[in-house]
Amino acid sequence: MFEFRDLFQWDRFITPTIIKTFYWLVIALIVLFGLSGIFSGLAAMAISPFGGFILLLSSIASVVVGVVFSRIAAEFILIVFRINEHLGAIRDQGERR
């Protein structure tokens, strides 16, 4: 976890700890939009059963795809920061020799 004084120092990145919070916020938004699409699909079934069913299936599929892609994006950001940490460790190891 980060402390308040970490906001004013540049020795440590705070993004890896904050990215998890943003990930869960994105997941919540995806689920809310998915539920909205599901209810829209159920309402559209009263007018056009086939169109409403397609909307229902596409809403469910978009929730699954959105969760997977948001996880991939969050992991990509974390990997970039981890690469930076490893490169810094390699640099520090080379300076000691």
Side-chain angles (χ1 to χ4, degrees):
M1 201 70 192
F2 70 96
E3 297 176 8
F4 183 72
R5 63 186 169 114
D6 289 339
L7 293 174
F8 302 107
Q9 296 177 352
W10 293 98
D11 298 332
R12 185 171 162 262
F13 291 113
I14 62 170
T15 304
T17 55
I18 293 176
I19 193 70
K20 295 172 187 170
T21 305
F22 282 123
Y23 169 73
W24 286 110
L25 287 174
V26 168
I27 294 297
L29 285 174
I30 289 171
V31 168
L32 286 176
F33 281 118
L35 287 174
S36 172
I38 288 171
F39 288 132
S40 296
L42 291 174
M45 279 185 172
I47 299 168
S48 170
F50 181 72
F53 184 70
I54 295 299
L55 182 60
L56 183 73
L57 288 180
S58 66
S59 296
I60 294 171
S62 65
V63 167
V64 172
V65 169
V67 168
V68 169
F69 279 127
S70 64
R71 178 65 188 232
I72 290 170
E75 285 184 6
F76 179 75
I77 292 169
L78 289 175
I79 285 171
V80 168
F81 280 96
R82 190 156 302 151
I83 288 171
N84 182 36
E85 290 174 0
H86 290 306
L87 286 175
I90 290 170
R91 182 192 64 225
D92 293 341
Q93 188 179 23
E95 288 176 356
R96 279 186 261 155
R97 289 184 179 184

